[in-house]
Amino acid sequence: MSFRLRSPLGRMSPRTLRSTTILLASAVVLAAPAHSQSVPDDGSVLPFPPVPMAGKAAARLQDSTMAWPQEPQRLPDGAPNILIVLLDDVGFGISETFGGEVHTPTLTRLAEEGVSYNRFHTTSICSPTRASLITGRDHTRVGNGTIAERAVAFDGYTGIMPKTAATVAEVLKNYGYHTAAFGKWHNTPATETTAIGPKDRWPNGYGFEYFYGFLGGETSQWEPRLTENYDAVEPPHDDPKYHLTSDLVDKALNWLDDYRAYDPNKPFLMYWAPGGVHGPHHIFPEWADKYKGKFTDGWDAYRERVYKRQLDMGVIPPGTELTSRDETMASWDSIPAEQRPFQERLMELYAGFVEHTDTEVGRLVDGIDARGLKDNTLIFYVFGDNGSSAEGQQGSISELLAQNNIPNTLEQQLTALDGIGGLKALGTSRTDNMYHAGWAWAGSTPFKGTKLMAAYFGGTRNPMVVSWPGRIKHDGKMRGQFHHVIDIAPTIYDILDIPAPKVVNGYEQMPIDGVSLAYTFDDAAAKGAKDIQFFDNNGSRGIYDNGWYAAAKGPFIPWDTPGSSKRLATWDSAADEWELYDLTSDFSQAKDLARQNPDKLEAMKKLFLEVAENRQDFPIGAGNWLRLHPKDRVTTVYNEWTFGPNNRRMPEFTAPGVGRQSTQVTIDAEFGENASGVLYAVGGSGGGLSVYMEDGHLVYEYNMMIIENYKAQTEKLAAGKHRIVIDTKIEKPAGPAEVVISVDGAEAARATVKRTVPVAFTATESFDIGVDLGSTVSLAYEDKRPFAFDGKIEQVKVTQ
């Protein structure tokens, strides 16, 4: 079933669109009371018009009758509950269910009772996949051409999901579903996540009646930066058994109990998207220890084993070729023997994290079953929002080193790791560890590429399993139709016989790009319903057309950020070399037919440009803009702030640029004898800046992504009121910082930070006054977290 609405608003810029649709919304709201009968009741306009009262309202009470109207039944009998599970950063060759070597009992169980898909695709990156999933539109059409933190001022890349693309939650809520989202969101503009809002682009503003999770792209599994609906909440500080994934299951089951107790006659939609297994790879050591010794022969050998198993299991069709390693990626044989224990442990942690996450999905499914709901629950289990992530580069103890393009060597990292506990510190709150890109490539077996590469299926092809015990019968046959994450919402509409709405909340709707895949539930051999599918991320791009696929690799190589920066400086998308594949006989993109079939390639390139323009993808490669122009990073409009003693949880992208750019911080506070505690902090253990008191001494500490650490300390401060001024001069992004600390007008200490973090210390850690929430910037007070200041802060003023 295909939805193809045509809208004159489809190509407007978000700013024009917003102003236009505000007028539309106002018109509808104003017209509704006087002309409610003119609002159709066929689902083309949502919300539905109010149901007239069944009684009679006369002038006199005695002449009136009171009768509530019967609510219309807008859903088919037996409309299912719906659970969408979306894991993070897991490639095609990881799960044992699809031939990999990581134990995934829940994915296997659901596959054995439902149907599995081996040609299902994502966008190759976080925010875009999520926006596409919940709207049914291609990612650039809904402003999500890149992640929220890299948003730029091109229509397809603003990081704003327009209200002209109603989410599946918004639509189903209007039909009577209860809706909830848990886990990673990553679809709110990075500058709109403070406590003061605006909050209309938070999950609740997109149709979810309840939300519990985190708004950014990643978070610590031990000290996650959590949000419940519209409020920041804190995890327990002292529970050694706490892990975010488990917490998300607990909250989801609690929500189900409320649903079952208060309104069980209506079905539910649950979107459950944990942080697992995005970096940092945080997991209890006993889960990682299950994989000790299993990866000693490295990623090249892993690919060979998994490829053979995939063939034997029928996960990939006979004749599929194993693609070769890119010449820019290190072989396992090239890794020095003394570094291999580090690289092996990183993969053990990742594997343990995957198994733990899948096991927790099983606990959620078991909870649904125990409540008598599983038989009529339709489950989409999408095993990854993109391929495995190569952002760990050569293996990392602080994954944002790559995002910030900070030059470093593995030797530097290993030396720093030894200083914080050695290999045992990996996977704990002391590190933001990510495995070597070679493991990500292995996790995408048998394909080329990794996350961030939309040209290759190593970035976009993810396993999917669909289970619906009361409706779908397992037949043991793999579904091989070409489908994409934009097809999930249309599938839900198809099953529920819901027409694509033309207007939602006063906003005229843009076209839905996806097609239903419900036809595959009963027929593994059914002819595929998708004709064309568009892909682009960072200029790595492709177009699918009825079995053919044309692709351009693009300038950005995820496992080589420094080299990519050099390529970007001279890159011209019009000069890219394209490849051509016949997917009807080449499952893994192993045979480039560009030279043999130049006419077909040219036709495909032309088609790509036509679709890309329609989907607001221009300019090609806009996701790379900030790599070329880092000063254009989305940020707050303010350059001066005054904070009180209780201002906390200010996201880094909205906060003052302390530690990244020139600032002056003035602190007025009253100190006791031997004062202790944090005055202000930004970031976390993976990188950050903290100014704190320790036994009466003021300490400035700059944690440069773990690999370097800079400190300055004053003489002991006498009890009483003091004004502290911290002047920081940074001439350019990533440049050195000169820091001068004054107490009551006199210089008290100074420090030189040899290099600074240019973009962000972390993805979701915050700027806090009077405490250091989340993981601690400094190990000096790790065991005293959140290390609240024991004096009285009057105000903290920051200018930049």
Side-chain angles (χ1 to χ4, degrees):
M1 187 172 183
S2 177
F3 301 96
R4 296 285 176 186
L5 301 182
R6 294 289 179 242
S7 167
L9 300 181
R11 293 189 182 182
M12 290 188 181
S13 72
R15 179 172 293 178
T16 305
L17 191 57
R18 186 177 184 191
S19 62
T20 304
T21 50
I22 286 172
L23 291 173
L24 283 170
S26 301
V28 170
V29 170
L30 289 172
H35 305 286
S36 59
Q37 297 302 315
S38 67
V39 178
D41 194 25
D42 59 1
S44 62
V45 176
L46 298 177
F48 289 98
V51 180
M53 293 298 106
K56 173 186 174 184
R60 297 173 68 242
L61 186 63
Q62 295 89 333
D63 299 329
S64 303
T65 58
M66 197 290 290
W68 292 107
Q70 184 175 354
E71 285 294 322
Q73 178 62 32
R74 305 193 186 279
L75 292 168
D77 291 340
N81 305 308
I82 300 167
L83 169 64
I84 301 172
V85 175
L86 179 67
L87 299 198
D88 202 331
D89 285 6
V90 200
F92 191 84
I94 291 294
S95 166
E96 64 181 0
T97 317
F98 282 72
E101 297 190 351
V102 177
H103 186 44
T104 50
T106 307
L107 189 66
T108 298
R109 177 176 26 137
L110 294 176
E112 289 175 349
E113 66 184 37
V115 291
S116 301
Y117 295 78
N118 66 354
R119 287 182 175 90
F120 183 81
H121 301 82
T122 55
T123 69
S124 84
I125 188 171
C126 304
S127 301
T129 289
R130 292 158 200 276
S132 289
L133 187 157
I134 61 177
T135 66
R137 279 91 170 177
D138 280 316
H139 57 302
T140 47
R141 193 192 286 280
V142 291
N144 273 258
T146 187
I147 59 174
E149 295 83 358
R150 288 190 172 275
V152 288
F154 300 110
D155 289 345
Y157 295 83
T158 61
I160 298 170
M161 287 193 301
K163 301 292 185 174
T164 51
T167 69
V168 65
E170 185 66 40
V171 173
L172 264 58
K173 184 177 69 171
N174 277 284
Y175 276 83
Y177 271 76
H178 286 298
T179 60
F182 299 87
K184 175 174 170 176
W185 177 245
H186 210 195
N187 285 128
T188 295
T191 55
E192 295 185 9
T193 56
T194 68
I196 205 64
K199 299 185 178 182
D200 56 317
R201 294 181 180 130
W202 290 29
N204 304 83
Y206 284 109
F208 291 101
E209 296 170 317
Y210 179 80
F211 172 71
Y212 181 84
F214 57 100
L215 296 175
E218 65 177 66
T219 194
S220 166
Q221 298 296 308
W222 309 120
E223 310 97 349
R225 305 295 76 215
L226 294 169
T227 297
E228 185 170 26
N229 295 319
Y230 292 119
D231 300 314
V233 293
E234 287 294 313
H237 292 294
D238 54 358
D239 182 357
K241 295 181 180 180
Y242 180 86
H243 192 277
L244 175 58
T245 312
S246 303
D247 186 15
L248 294 173
V249 174
D250 292 342
K251 290 296 191 297
L253 294 178
N254 289 344
W255 181 81
L256 280 177
D257 285 338
D258 286 344
Y259 152 78
R260 197 168 56 140
Y262 304 144
D263 202 5
N265 290 339
K266 293 182 179 179
F268 70 79
L269 166 70
M270 181 185 294
Y271 172 39
W272 196 86
V277 291
H278 195 291
H281 297 156
H282 286 162
I283 193 58
F284 300 104
E286 57 266 28
W287 286 85
D289 291 346
K290 293 182 176 188
Y291 293 90
K292 268 193 174 296
K294 293 188 183 280
F295 305 117
T296 55
D297 51 359
W299 42 79
D300 296 283
Y302 180 97
R303 274 180 70 92
E304 293 284 349
R305 292 194 306 270
V306 169
Y307 165 68
K308 292 176 182 176
R309 192 179 300 112
Q310 289 172 334
L311 283 172
D312 292 343
M313 292 174 62
V315 170
I316 60 178
T320 298
E321 293 186 22
L322 178 63
T323 56
S324 59
R325 177 171 24 84
D326 191 278
E327 63 182 9
T328 64
M329 181 174 287
S331 68
W332 180 253
D333 288 343
S334 71
I335 302 300
E338 65 273 14
Q339 294 180 5
R340 291 189 179 184
F342 172 70
Q343 303 293 5
E344 291 167 23
R345 187 56 178 172
L346 290 175
M347 181 56 185
E348 291 165 6
L349 287 159
Y350 176 80
F353 194 8
V354 172
E355 181 178 344
H356 178 267
T357 303
D358 178 81
T359 301
E360 288 297 300
V361 174
R363 193 161 67 87
L364 175 59
V365 173
D366 289 343
I368 292 173
D369 193 15
R371 288 158 177 79
L373 302 170
K374 183 169 180 280
D375 193 55
N376 195 35
T377 296
L378 169 61
I379 302 174
F380 296 92
Y381 191 171
V382 184
F383 209 72
D385 59 346
N386 42 245
S388 293
S389 174
E391 292 160 303
Q393 308 277 291
Q394 307 308 307
S396 183
I397 61 175
S398 184
E399 58 163 329
L400 259 66
L401 279 165
Q403 296 275 10
N404 283 283
N405 198 22
I406 295 173
N408 67 92
T409 66
L410 193 57
E411 288 75 15
Q412 279 180 295
Q413 294 202 45
L414 291 175
T415 298
L417 182 62
D418 286 342
I420 60 173
L423 292 182
K424 289 184 178 180
L426 295 174
T428 73
S429 62
R430 289 191 167 193
T431 61
D432 283 350
N433 51 285
M434 278 277 286
Y435 60 9
H436 191 289
W439 293 121
W441 170 65
S444 296
T445 304
F447 306 118
K448 295 181 282 190
T450 63
K451 173 185 177 180
L452 303 183
M453 302 190 81
Y456 301 131
F457 295 151
T460 63
R461 187 165 285 180
N462 289 87
M464 183 175 75
V465 166
V466 178
S467 168
W468 186 3
R471 166 65 179 80
I472 296 176
K473 305 303 178 187
H474 177 70
D475 59 13
K477 298 177 182 178
M478 184 70 70
R479 269 53 178 173
Q481 295 87 352
F482 194 101
H483 276 287
H484 188 275
V485 71
I486 62 173
D487 300 329
I488 288 180
T491 301
I492 293 170
Y493 299 152
D494 185 11
I495 290 166
L496 299 175
D497 198 24
I498 291 176
K502 296 178 181 178
V503 177
V504 178
N505 296 327
Y507 294 89
E508 189 170 346
Q509 296 295 287
M510 63 175 63
I512 289 179
D513 298 313
V515 298
S516 172
L517 55 78
Y519 70 95
T520 66
F521 292 171
D522 299 324
D523 188 357
K527 184 180 184 298
K530 181 177 285 290
D531 298 325
I532 293 172
Q533 182 59 54
F534 145 85
F535 297 84
D536 186 18
N537 178 48
N538 292 314
S540 177
R541 57 204 189 274
I543 187 79
Y544 170 83
D545 181 15
N546 290 290
W548 288 92
Y549 192 84
K553 184 177 181 179
F556 188 75
I557 297 178
W559 52 88
D560 182 19
T561 299
S564 295
S565 296
K566 296 176 183 177
R567 282 185 291 273
L568 275 168
T570 58
W571 176 65
D572 179 355
S573 63
D576 272 345
E577 183 176 341
W578 282 70
E579 302 161 25
L580 180 67
Y581 301 98
D582 179 0
L583 300 183
T584 62
S585 59
D586 182 9
F587 182 84
S588 61
Q589 297 177 296
K591 302 171 185 175
D592 180 8
L593 304 178
R595 292 186 178 180
Q596 292 95 312
N597 205 335
D599 291 341
K600 181 64 177 178
L601 178 61
E602 287 305 311
M604 295 286 283
K605 289 167 64 177
K606 181 181 178 182
L607 176 63
F608 173 83
L609 287 174
E610 291 173 356
V611 177
E613 182 178 14
N614 176 265
R615 302 301 198 267
Q616 297 188 148
D617 187 45
F618 289 175
I620 303 298
N624 293 309
W625 184 269
L626 294 182
R627 294 184 172 97
L628 295 168
H629 309 283
K631 288 186 177 180
D632 290 341
R633 187 194 87 148
V634 60
T635 186
T636 175
V637 298
Y638 296 100
N639 55 26
E640 183 174 307
W641 298 261
T642 300
F643 298 103
N646 299 312
N647 289 129
R648 296 165 186 179
R649 292 289 297 269
M650 188 177 193
E652 193 174 342
F653 277 79
T654 66
V658 291
R660 292 186 293 102
Q661 59 195 94
S662 296
T663 56
Q664 183 181 80
V665 182
T666 303
I667 305 165
D668 290 309
E670 185 171 352
F671 300 80
E673 293 285 348
N674 302 313
S676 292
V678 172
L679 295 170
Y680 69 89
V682 63
S685 60
L689 166 66
S690 180
V691 174
Y692 58 95
M693 300 299 298
E694 188 172 42
D695 296 326
H697 299 272
L698 185 142
V699 182
Y700 171 100
E701 183 170 350
Y702 196 108
N703 175 353
M704 214 294 291
M705 314 309 279
I706 303 179
I707 62 174
E708 295 170 12
N709 190 281
Y710 303 90
K711 278 187 178 182
Q713 179 173 306
T714 69
E715 296 294 326
K716 197 169 187 177
L717 270 63
K721 291 185 176 182
H722 295 286
R723 169 167 285 187
I724 296 166
V725 178
I726 301 173
D727 268 308
T728 303
K729 302 296 182 186
I730 302 174
E731 297 297 330
K732 61 180 181 179
E738 293 297 330
V739 183
V740 178
I741 302 170
S742 302
V743 177
D744 299 329
E747 182 176 325
R750 63 171 52 228
T752 298
V753 179
K754 292 182 179 179
R755 52 182 179 162
T756 55
V757 172
V759 179
F761 289 111
T762 67
T764 55
E765 293 274 359
S766 54
F767 179 79
D768 302 311
I769 301 295
V771 292
D772 184 357
L773 296 175
S775 62
T776 59
V777 173
S778 174
L779 294 181
Y781 53 82
E782 179 187 33
D783 59 346
K784 306 175 205 173
R785 70 179 69 191
F787 202 35
F789 178 55
D790 59 7
K792 180 181 178 182
I793 295 174
E794 293 180 6
Q795 71 171 24
V796 177
K797 187 172 183 178
V798 185
T799 57
Q800 65 184 34

